[in-house]
Amino acid sequence: IQAAVPFAQWSISSPMSKLVHLTLISFISLIFLVPPVFAASLELTPNSLTLDVSKSHTFNLHLDPDRAPIIGVDVFLSFDPTILRIISITSTNVFESHPATFIDNSTGSAKFSLINSYGVFQTTPAIIADITVETLASTNSTGLNFDFTAGITTDTNVVTTSGTDLLTSVTNTHLTILPPRQDQSPIPTPSSALGRAPTLTPTPTRK
């Protein structure tokens, strides 16, 4: 019975050695040539909230880059202008520049951008903006929503160093707006007896 030949003693020209060599090369090539797949996301928090009418609230915009090197974010928002009004959109300075903000409360739309300079990346989750809204009317259901369709680069997007849009999911916020509160307790009214002016009787004088 022929003893097995150790791997280190295989001839480089043997069929088995060539097969192992090609397999290792293919495996290493897959590791270095296949790019990583990133899935960035944007979220408005809180996701659900109940507010009184004629009140304001600030929502946080969260970015999760999924470890990808992000250089900029474009955000497109839509809302019911009869129910909500955007008061302000403020950068938290996670990104270096906030070059453009457009708010149209007559049509219920808002757009803004956040970008970094060349060579500066955002790779970790962070709150990147604060959005303050005011409630105008009561409703059981309304929302502050991202305009987003996967694969479309002309709406909300998260851009990496190569110019690729990595945004794969968004989370909107849902609102319930309560009507003005009415005081249900009856208001006491004074009785007629209490409302009658007292009668004064003059005291007789002595002569």
Side-chain angles (χ1 to χ4, degrees):
I1 300 175
Q2 185 178 2
V5 179
F7 176 77
Q9 297 180 13
W10 284 356
S11 169
I12 191 65
S13 60
S14 68
M16 182 61 70
S17 177
K18 289 181 179 180
L19 178 61
V20 172
H21 184 66
L22 291 174
T23 301
L24 288 174
I25 292 177
S26 299
F27 180 73
I28 294 172
S29 298
L30 286 174
I31 292 176
F32 288 99
L33 295 181
V34 176
V37 177
F38 298 108
S41 63
L42 290 171
E43 178 183 11
L44 285 168
T45 59
N47 305 143
S48 180
L49 188 65
T50 298
L51 293 172
D52 292 328
V53 71
S54 300
K55 299 294 183 181
S56 62
H57 187 82
T58 299
F59 295 89
N60 301 133
L61 175 59
H62 289 253
L63 164 68
D64 185 353
D66 192 29
R67 305 178 310 280
I70 303 303
I71 60 170
V73 176
D74 291 323
V75 178
F76 290 65
L77 297 173
S78 60
F79 54 95
D80 186 340
T82 66
I83 304 296
L84 298 176
R85 180 175 76 93
I86 292 183
I87 298 174
S88 65
I89 299 173
T90 306
S91 170
T92 59
N93 297 321
V94 170
F95 286 86
E96 294 180 339
S97 179
H98 183 187
T101 298
F102 174 80
I103 301 172
D104 189 343
N105 284 310
S106 63
T107 61
S109 62
K111 308 172 186 177
F112 64 97
S113 300
L114 301 167
I115 60 174
N116 276 333
S117 58
Y118 180 78
V120 179
F121 316 123
Q122 181 64 29
T123 59
T124 58
I127 297 174
I128 60 174
D130 294 324
I131 303 168
T132 302
V133 304
E134 179 185 9
T135 58
L136 304 177
S138 60
T139 181
N140 290 329
S141 179
T142 193
L144 185 60
N145 305 311
F146 293 99
D147 293 337
F148 169 70
T149 302
I152 302 298
T153 59
T154 56
D155 56 10
T156 300
N157 57 75
V158 174
V159 181
T160 187
T161 52
S162 63
T164 304
D165 180 9
L166 298 181
L167 184 62
T168 60
S169 66
V170 296
T171 303
N172 303 314
T173 189
H174 174 268
L175 294 170
T176 299
I177 314 299
L178 301 178
R181 299 181 182 181
Q182 301 292 332
D183 188 357
Q184 302 298 325
S185 59
I187 301 175
T189 56
S191 63
S192 57
L194 294 176
R196 186 184 303 126
T199 301
L200 300 178
T201 304
T203 303
T205 57
R206 295 181 181 179
K207 294 182 180 181

